[in-house]
Amino acid sequence: MFLESESMSFNKIFILGAGAIGSVYGALLSKRNDVTLVGNKKHVETVNSKGLTITGDINETFHPRAETEIREIPEKTLIILTTKAYDSAAAVRGIKRLLREDTAVLVLQNGLGNEDVVRQVLGANTKVLRGITTMAAEFFEAGKIRFWNGETTVEKSEHSETIAKTFNQCGLKTKISDDIKRDVWNKLVVNCVINPLTAILKVRNNQIITDSLKPIRHEIIRECVEVGKAEGITFPDDLEERIDKEASKYTNFSSMCQDVMKGKRTEIDFLNGKIVELGKKHGIQTKVNAVLVHLIKFLEGENGISRRN
Ligand code: KPL
């Protein structure tokens, strides 16, 4: 294990699951760090041959390394997990035997409970940290991503100062949370509102901020907050206004909307599905969230995705 005061940098950073968001982190971090993106074959080949072009809030081509799997983990490595939430267990199972005592794993995905899944697979000896991001990204095609800047928040731990410094140095605005559970829940509510509505309606995030959808948005939030409070979470009083304001800033297609449009499985089970699950545990009605889960599963079914996969 290395102490923060002894060393304030990582020898190596892997982006495990280099989709839209992960690729943006990898690109920006490659400005000053040895970064390898781990992603699908086509993306990896394009990044290695032509580079990774990020447009939107920046306009630049980067040249991180790219591989389809991690073969070796050097000392002082940070692994940023940005796979889809449902792929977490399989992704980390594949690297378990390569982990070192000083490897840190930062779980930077949407959804609730992901870090528990990762901890369960990797065991108590591996340092697993939770983080969240308000950045947004669209995967145009292999090697090309569009990006909306935002903020990264990481859980307090022995690695957090190093992570925050490493990220901030590369233009990724990052802070350390004083209550990561609260922050994860607040991001969860944002996703529970934006992701299924945009995916069902096939519109950009800011397009759901209409008066006609206000009762639905606010009912989703009300149910989430009731369940969250039963889990011991505190929320700001003006959460509805905050989410409306935040969503209206995003002109991107949400990750769930992109998944549905591409015929891919979504993260619904880790978002509104978790609200329904926890609602049952606490005896709280979550009818609107349940309807959204069913509608998204219908769309996944239309895309030929079996829930057993
Ligand atoms: O996390 C997101 C997502 O698309 O999954 C938001 C914050 C809604 C940005 O699109």
Side-chain angles (χ1 to χ4, degrees), residues 110 136 187 191 194-195 205 250 252 254-255:
N110 282 337
K187 171 79 199 286
N191 286 126
I194 296 179
N195 292 30
N205 295 359
Y250 288 115
N252 63 297
S254 74
S255 54

Side-chain angles (χ1 to χ4, degrees), residues 1 10-11 40 64 81 97 100 136 150 180 187 202 266 293 302:
M1 198 171 294
F10 295 102
N11 287 343
N40 73 44
L81 182 68
R97 67 188 169 84
R100 292 174 182 263
I180 194 68
K187 171 79 199 286
K202 300 195 174 48
T266 75
V293 172
E302 269 198 327

Side-chain angles (χ1 to χ4, degrees), residues 182-201:
R182 174 203 63 206
D183 295 339
V184 168
W185 262 91
N186 276 275
K187 171 79 199 286
L188 173 74
V189 183
V190 170
N191 286 126
C192 285
V193 176
I194 296 179
N195 292 30
L197 289 181
T198 54
I200 292 161
L201 299 170

